Amino acid sequence: MALIECPECSRKISDNADSCPGCGYPINPISPVVVNGKAKEGCFLQTLNIGCFMIISFFVIMMLSFSAFYFIKKKGKDKQDVNKEQVTKPEK
């Protein structure tokens, strides 16, 4: 393990360090994993994609449930109103 000088702040750092602890300058930047010519997503991005999909799915299901409940309730109310009109309507 040799000490090298940071090109940014001139601080002595290890040559095995990924970045300078003083200024954050990348010394040995981590290159992305390449599979079939494309950069592979990390675990965080995969988890983020799944989380977003689940949240959007949850809201869509909730909206469909509430709208179905609303229309079923409204249809039942309309039938009750029609029945009340038939009962209170005088016959000729």
Side-chain angles (χ1 to χ4, degrees):
M1 178 171 96
L3 291 177
I4 60 172
E5 191 173 293
C6 174
E8 187 74 21
C9 68
S10 301
R11 192 176 197 183
K12 295 285 184 188
I13 56 172
S14 169
D15 62 345
N16 293 334
D18 291 329
S19 62
C20 175
C23 66
Y25 184 81
I27 304 299
N28 295 322
I30 301 170
S31 60
V33 177
V34 177
V35 178
N36 296 332
K38 294 174 102 178
K40 186 178 177 186
E41 286 184 342
C43 182
F44 175 74
L45 289 178
Q46 290 174 350
T47 305
L48 185 66
N49 289 340
I50 292 170
C52 289
F53 175 75
M54 291 178 66
I55 289 171
I56 291 170
S57 298
F58 173 76
F59 281 115
V60 167
I61 290 170
M62 292 302 292
M63 288 175 53
L64 290 173
S65 300
F66 284 128
S67 62
F69 178 75
Y70 173 76
F71 286 118
I72 289 171
K73 186 127 177 132
K74 185 176 180 183
K75 192 172 186 179
K77 205 177 238 187
D78 290 344
K79 282 184 181 179
Q80 288 176 353
D81 291 343
V82 169
N83 289 339
K84 284 181 183 176
E85 286 178 9
Q86 290 175 351
V87 169
T88 58
K89 192 175 189 182
E91 294 182 19
K92 292 183 181 182

